[in-house]
Amino acid sequence: MKLAVVGGGSTYTPELIDGFARLRDTLPIEELVLIDPSADRLGLVGGLARRIFAKLGHPGRITTTSDLDAGVEAADAVLLQLRVGGQAARNQDETWPLECGCVGQETTGAGGLAKALRTVPVVLDIAERVRRTNPDAWIIDFTNPVGIVTRALLEAGHKAVGLCNVAIGFQRKFAALLDVAPSEVYLDHVGLNHLTWELGVRLGGPEGENLLPKLLSEHGTAVAEDLHMPREIVDRLGVVPSYYLRYYYQHDAVVRELRTKPSRASEVAAMEKQLLEMYGDPSLDEKPALLAKRGGAFYSEAAVDLAASLLRGGGSPVQVVNTYNNGTLPFLPDYAVIEVQAEVGTSGAVPLAVPKLDPLYAGLIANVTAYEDLALQAALHGGRERVFKALLSHPLIGQYEYAEALTDQLIAHNREHLAWA
């Protein structure tokens, strides 16, 4: 079995390598190719990756290349974890929207649209090149914004599934609070990528006892602190929103907070510099503790589980993924990409039935889905007017003056990545 990782020079990669090594019985890899345009990063990350495999006794071969076509040739699955424009572009996504009083964030609002515009054309080019060398390969997308990118891939006819680590993070967190094995925890996880709610926390499966009321009663403060939200919000909702809902529920407070501290991108850039220095140490043969602060917790476990199910039916039969709605949420079109529990196997992902959604959540999901429709059109076809309409439709913007100003800012800051600009 051959897997390829596009964006293999990412500082995330040792987390992925550690998961491949420890879970080799679930996903027996013979060859793993790390692909990245940066030869320097590839050398550092690839060296550590081989040392991790050796230490943990994995017999697979790890190679590195900057040649995309050669790297993906004959791959059974290609995992996408690229960042077009790097941390510099992310830093812009997180800063210029604040000038208009809007949240600056890399996956939602104006910054999220900028990332989608930079990313979708690049991902589609990569996917087309994968299809030319191996039309049966699965594409697993971890590249944000996952929902929009996954929909672009699916609409172009690729065998693709989107993946996010939010659900597995909640599963692990709730399992620890309830003192049970993570495999016993089933989440009623519903929504869009980075716009989800945990409507239930059940033991044993979708028909199991819902322990969410007990969990919030006994551990509500700890849950709210992890979300960076007041406990009152969680208690009044009676469900657990993802961290990203704070940008909606506390928009103005978050803007004030973001204006008073360095961007997350600047923090990550400093962390990445330190991590790459560590990776260059030939005595290092395990993922460093600092990597946990980089983000992406449990990413490797989710990726291994998904790849194993898609390639050999060897992973968990039910997983939270991003895939076509196909009637699961009746108020959305079938072509919308949602993030829910799904049956996953070698033929792909089929969403499971979800609890009926309160209008409080359904309304926001429908609004953001409409934005994603417009965002994808802007990413595929370009044009200032398409960008403006996508921004105007977003619930975190929604005002003519803001959308006008943000459109000019977005284009100015991303011109080198927009072929039409």
Side-chain angles (χ1 to χ4, degrees):
M1 182 183 299
K2 175 180 175 180
L3 265 63
V5 180
V6 179
S10 168
T11 53
Y12 271 134
T13 299
E15 166 71 26
L16 185 64
I17 298 299
D18 183 80
F20 284 153
R22 295 183 186 278
L23 300 172
R24 57 185 173 273
D25 291 339
T26 301
L27 186 67
I29 300 170
E30 295 169 304
E31 182 180 3
L32 178 64
V33 184
L34 305 181
I35 306 167
D36 202 282
S38 173
D40 291 341
R41 291 175 73 107
L42 270 181
L44 297 172
V45 174
L48 175 57
R50 294 185 190 97
R51 295 193 295 273
I52 291 174
F53 261 33
K55 180 178 181 179
L56 297 177
H58 195 297
R61 180 166 65 102
I62 295 177
T63 59
T64 61
T65 182
S66 295
D67 185 332
L68 176 69
D69 294 317
V72 301
E73 185 175 3
D76 297 289
V78 178
L79 196 152
L80 305 180
Q81 58 172 29
L82 61 149
R83 181 183 293 279
V84 179
Q87 293 299 329
R90 175 181 179 177
N91 186 66
Q92 292 181 351
D93 294 344
E94 294 176 344
T95 52
W96 54 262
L98 295 174
E99 297 173 17
C100 291
C102 296
V103 159
Q105 213 278 330
E106 66 158 340
T107 65
T108 192
L113 177 60
K115 194 172 197 301
L117 296 182
R118 294 193 304 269
T119 303
V120 166
V122 174
V123 164
L124 289 179
D125 177 66
I126 291 169
E128 193 57 42
R129 291 159 74 175
V130 171
R131 180 154 56 188
R132 286 201 298 265
T133 63
N134 184 4
D136 292 324
W138 278 102
I139 296 177
I140 298 174
D141 179 60
F142 196 72
T143 296
N144 283 318
V146 169
I148 295 173
V149 173
T150 301
R151 182 171 155 194
L153 288 165
L154 290 171
E155 289 193 356
H158 298 289
K159 294 173 61 177
V161 179
L163 181 65
C164 181
N165 69 323
V166 167
I168 193 173
F170 274 131
Q171 182 197 46
R172 298 301 195 269
K173 198 178 304 291
F174 296 158
L177 292 173
L178 296 170
D179 195 25
V180 298
S183 60
E184 295 183 49
V185 175
Y186 179 93
L187 302 176
D188 290 333
H189 180 98
V190 184
L192 311 176
N193 179 243
H194 289 185
L195 195 85
T196 53
W197 296 262
E198 310 307 326
L199 305 183
V201 178
R202 304 178 185 277
L203 290 187
E207 304 303 322
E209 179 186 3
N210 182 12
L211 297 182
L212 181 57
K214 168 184 167 67
L215 190 148
L216 291 181
S217 174
E218 297 180 359
H219 304 287
T221 299
V223 171
E225 287 177 353
D226 282 341
L227 300 173
H228 298 279
M229 294 184 191
R231 177 169 180 172
E232 180 184 5
I233 292 178
V234 179
D235 285 343
R236 292 184 71 175
L237 293 176
V239 303
V240 179
S242 80
Y243 168 88
Y244 293 89
L245 266 300
R246 73 189 295 258
Y247 299 119
Y248 296 82
Y249 294 157
Q250 299 177 276
H251 177 273
D252 292 354
V254 172
V255 168
R256 289 193 295 270
E257 172 191 321
L258 294 175
R259 283 173 163 170
T260 63
K261 65 180 186 179
S263 69
R264 174 61 178 166
S266 63
E267 295 174 351
V268 170
M271 202 179 304
E272 285 194 333
K273 181 179 179 181
Q274 188 176 353
L275 284 168
L276 289 170
E277 290 174 356
M278 291 179 174
Y279 296 170
D281 180 355
S283 67
L284 183 67
D285 57 6
E286 60 186 8
K287 61 177 183 180
L290 178 62
L291 186 55
K293 298 181 180 180
R294 171 66 178 82
F298 309 113
Y299 153 52
S300 62
E301 295 177 42
V304 168
D305 207 15
L306 179 54
S309 293
L310 293 173
L311 296 177
R312 58 199 295 265
S316 303
V318 176
Q319 302 170 40
V320 173
V321 298
N322 286 259
T323 191
Y324 273 146
N325 177 45
N326 283 337
T328 308
L329 299 180
F331 54 89
L332 294 184
D334 287 347
Y335 59 75
V337 166
I338 61 174
E339 185 172 291
V340 295
Q341 297 277 8
E343 290 185 354
V344 183
T346 55
S347 59
V350 179
L352 299 178
V354 300
K356 184 178 180 180
L357 276 176
D358 187 288
L360 180 63
Y361 314 124
L364 186 53
I365 290 172
N367 190 335
V368 175
T369 296
Y371 152 75
E372 290 189 349
D373 287 349
L374 294 167
L376 182 56
Q377 290 306 306
L380 292 174
H381 305 294
R384 186 186 188 282
E385 191 66 11
R386 291 189 181 94
V387 173
F388 167 75
K389 288 179 178 178
L391 290 169
L392 185 63
S393 73
H394 200 292
L396 295 182
I397 301 167
Q399 296 186 55
Y400 176 86
E401 292 82 1
Y402 287 175
E404 273 285 287
L406 289 168
T407 297
D408 291 335
Q409 288 270 47
L410 186 154
I411 294 172
H413 284 286
N414 291 275
R415 197 176 300 277
E416 65 180 296
H417 301 292
L418 306 177
W420 51 268

